[in-house]
């Protein structure tokens, strides 16, 4: 474990977000909590028990390994769905462990059939159809073949879901494409129905689609980014807030990231700081060294641009971000001491650095900044009262 910084997780914020989502989506729409990519960097092992406590009992991940991690973090009998990769070797284990999984091509359906037969246990599948994202999913003729396979050996399958993924509901520029996808989905769904296959859940929506296109909620929504307290895009937030009197953000951020001042140094006018000549002190400059760098999650693209909070004040990163360290300007805080808390993401006093500020500077998405937070930083839960 890295001990130079810690990621904090505010349980009260998570409870707030889940309550908000449940209220807005209504009790007839099931929420599947998307915890792929280490729960968007928050930590699967910490988030899953908190999510269960907050009333979630359905989880979606990308691959088999994540499913295993979710499974060993469960405190209840929740459902785990693998939306993406499972190696051929792990498919049997996936069935054996009661994991549900997407079937997005006929090859996977064949392997699932074979393993289900070997195990004497049905494969719990979600048929994923291609509706226009052109990434994964069965096209119309493949769907018809899949239906034949399932109807010939119904004892080996439980059709838990019928789904697709909408391409870019977070931007209005995709509106026409999404309408086409919905239409295609309904056509394919009708074919399933005609063949008397009734999936437990029909689902197409991620966070953005669930809020921008209420008709896309169907039986279940796959909510990732919003449960962590972020809107999918500025546009999605504006869409939501537009007709409301109250313009405060109903979502709360869960994650904070902090470190400590490692050392302090006064740089004389005319001296360069760090490697090369990226920063020249124009005046005497008091600097603090913070022990996070690009090897520990602080992107090199924040060189000379990033900010951190010390004693409630914003301090600029000066020079290039090193592998394990970054230098910040603390000239305005002469009282700073070694060991002072450094906030990289989150609040300190009245000041705040949020992930979006962080990502604006480095031109990354919230999604990217979060999911790239290293696994080996300690996640510390701040329990709700
Ligand atoms: C990641 C993912 C989601 C969740 O998306 P958010 O925008 O984070 O809500 C939903 N569905 C699929 C298939 C995904 O891969």
């Amino acid at each position: 474990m890295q001990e130079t910084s810690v990621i904090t997780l505010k349980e009260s914020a998570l409870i707030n977000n889940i309550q908000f989502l449940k209220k807005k989506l209504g009790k007839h729409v099931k929420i599947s909590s998307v915890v792929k990519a280490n729960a968007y960097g928050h930590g699967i092992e910490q988030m899953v028990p908190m999510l269960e406590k907050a009333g979630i009992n359905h989880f979606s991940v990308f691959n088999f390994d994540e499913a295993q991690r979710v499974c060993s973090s469960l405190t209840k009998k929740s459902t785990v769905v693998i939306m993406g990769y499972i190696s051929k070797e792990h498919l049997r284990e996936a069935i054996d462990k009661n994991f549900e999984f997407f079937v997005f091509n006929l090859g996977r359906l064949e392997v699932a059939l074979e393993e289900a037969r070997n195990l004497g246990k049905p494969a719990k599948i979600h048929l994923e159809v291609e509706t226009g994202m052109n990434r994964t999913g069965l096209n119309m003729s493949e769907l018809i073949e899949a239906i034949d396979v399932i109807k010939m050996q119904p004892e080996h399958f439980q059709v838990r879901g019928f789904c697709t993924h909408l391409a870019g509901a977070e931007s209005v520029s995709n509106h026409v494409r999404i309408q086409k996808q919905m239409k295609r989905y309904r056509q394919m769904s009708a074919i399933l129905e005609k063949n008397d296959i009734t999936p437990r859940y029909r689902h197409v929506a991620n966070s953005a689609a669930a809020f921008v296109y209420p008709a896309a909620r169907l039986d279940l929504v796959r909510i990732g980014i919003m449960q962590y307290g972020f809107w999918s895009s500025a546009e999605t937030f504006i869409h939501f807030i537009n007709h409301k009197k109250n313009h405060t953000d109903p979502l709360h951020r869960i994650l904070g990231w902090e470190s400590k001042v490692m050392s302090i140094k006064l740089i004389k006018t005319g001296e360069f700081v760090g490697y090369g000549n990226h920063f020249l002190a124009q005046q005497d400059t008091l600097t603090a060294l913070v022990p996070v760098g690009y090897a520990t999650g602080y992107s090199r693209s924040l060189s000379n641009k990033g900010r951190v909070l010390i004693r409630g004040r914003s301090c600029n990163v000066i020079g290039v971000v090193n592998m394990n360290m970054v230098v910040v300007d603390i000239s305005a805080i002469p009282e700073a001491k070694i060991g002072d808390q450094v906030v990289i993401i989150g609040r300190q006093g009245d000041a705040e650095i949020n992930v979006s500020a962080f990502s604006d500077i480095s031109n990354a998405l919230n999604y990217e900044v979060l999911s790239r937070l290293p696994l080996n930083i300690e996640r510390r839960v701040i329990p709700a009262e």
Side-chain angles (χ1 to χ4, degrees):
M1 246 341 129
Q2 286 287 343
E3 49 179 353
T4 61
S5 72
V6 56
I7 286 172
T8 56
L9 304 168
K10 231 184 279 161
E11 187 180 26
S12 58
L14 174 68
I15 293 169
N16 167 80
N17 299 344
I18 298 297
Q19 280 173 352
F20 167 78
L21 289 163
K22 287 197 162 192
K23 190 164 140 235
K24 286 292 157 199
L25 297 166
K27 60 174 180 294
H28 298 297
V29 178
K30 178 105 185 156
I31 297 177
S32 184
S33 163
V34 179
V35 291
K36 65 189 178 196
N38 198 27
Y40 291 44
H42 289 61
I44 284 179
E45 286 73 13
Q46 293 75 21
M47 288 300 291
V48 165
M50 278 199 286
L51 281 156
E52 284 191 314
K53 222 169 113 195
I56 294 292
N57 65 4
H58 199 285
F59 295 94
S60 295
V61 295
F62 178 71
N63 62 32
F64 179 77
D65 170 60
E66 291 167 345
Q68 298 250 68
R69 287 175 56 200
V70 171
C71 186
S72 37
S73 312
L74 292 178
T75 59
K76 298 179 179 158
K77 275 194 170 161
S78 295
T79 303
V80 183
V81 184
I82 302 169
M83 303 186 290
Y85 188 78
I86 313 171
S87 70
K88 234 176 141 179
E89 295 71 46
H90 282 141
L91 203 78
R92 170 199 286 256
E93 213 175 325
I95 297 171
D96 198 35
K97 290 202 157 130
N98 285 317
F99 295 158
E100 301 182 4
F101 52 90
F102 282 21
V103 166
F104 42 77
N105 59 35
L106 292 171
R108 176 167 287 184
L109 190 69
E110 291 299 331
V111 179
L113 173 61
E114 195 181 309
E115 297 299 355
R117 198 184 277 137
N118 290 340
L119 280 165
K121 192 170 179 178
K124 299 180 174 177
I125 60 171
H126 292 240
L127 290 170
E128 186 191 4
V129 290
E130 176 58 70
T131 55
M133 175 135 181
N134 292 313
R135 193 171 66 176
T136 45
L138 304 158
N139 62 28
M140 191 67 95
S141 65
E142 290 166 333
L143 174 65
I144 289 165
E145 257 188 78
I147 290 172
D148 283 345
V149 173
I150 294 166
K151 282 175 87 172
M152 275 195 292
Q153 28 257 314
E155 70 278 19
H156 294 312
F157 295 105
Q158 277 181 25
V159 182
R160 298 291 297 163
F162 182 71
C163 58
T164 194
H165 190 50
L166 300 176
E170 67 280 357
S171 169
V172 71
S173 62
N174 297 319
H175 182 75
V176 174
R177 185 171 174 203
I178 288 192
Q179 294 303 327
K180 277 194 191 150
Q181 282 195 272
M182 287 298 292
K183 188 171 169 209
R184 190 96 185 126
Y185 177 83
R186 282 190 294 267
Q187 287 165 345
M188 293 172 105
S189 184
I191 289 177
L192 202 68
E193 228 166 87
K194 230 190 282 165
N195 282 279
D196 294 321
I197 295 177
T198 313
R200 175 66 186 83
Y201 297 110
R202 283 167 219 273
H203 53 104
V204 301
N206 61 0
S207 299
F211 276 76
V212 181
Y213 302 97
R217 289 174 188 165
L218 307 180
D219 306 318
L220 176 148
V221 291
R222 305 181 300 257
I223 300 285
I225 197 83
M226 282 183 79
Q227 64 186 332
Y228 307 105
F230 299 87
W231 293 85
S232 315
S233 62
E235 226 176 289
T236 322
F237 177 53
I238 291 162
H239 177 92
F240 174 77
I241 221 80
N242 238 340
H243 304 289
K244 304 267 182 303
K245 279 198 204 79
N246 181 353
H247 283 193
T248 54
D249 190 346
L251 297 174
H252 297 171
R253 311 279 155 82
I254 297 170
L255 180 141
W257 185 18
E258 57 194 59
S259 181
K260 286 186 176 142
V261 171
M262 175 175 154
S263 71
I264 290 176
K265 198 187 270 293
L266 182 66
I267 311 295
K268 290 286 183 202
T269 309
E271 293 285 318
F272 287 107
V273 174
Y275 290 116
N277 52 6
H278 296 278
F279 184 85
L280 174 67
Q282 309 280 336
Q283 64 243 330
D284 286 0
T285 304
L286 192 61
T287 63
L289 197 62
V290 182
V292 293
Y294 57 78
T296 41
Y298 201 79
S299 170
R300 200 165 174 281
S301 62
L302 295 165
S303 297
N304 270 325
K305 289 184 188 156
R307 293 181 300 119
V308 300
L309 304 175
I310 298 172
R311 298 201 176 212
R313 307 188 62 160
S314 175
C315 310
N316 291 321
V317 166
I318 58 180
V320 292
V321 174
N322 293 184
M323 190 180 279
N324 293 296
M325 285 175 279
V326 68
V327 178
V328 300
D329 184 346
I330 55 165
S331 302
I333 336 170
E335 70 278 21
K337 296 261 180 323
I338 289 174
D340 276 359
Q341 186 197 51
V342 178
V343 167
I344 306 162
I345 295 176
R347 291 191 74 84
Q348 194 185 50
D350 293 331
E352 180 169 18
I353 293 181
N354 52 48
V355 177
S356 48
F358 201 83
S359 45
D360 281 347
I361 305 171
S362 58
N363 267 324
L365 293 169
N366 285 338
Y367 289 88
E368 184 181 347
V369 173
L370 291 168
S371 62
R372 289 177 64 148
L373 289 170
L375 279 169
N376 63 358
I377 298 176
E378 181 194 341
R379 267 71 172 170
R380 194 178 293 157
V381 171
I382 304 168
E385 294 303 309

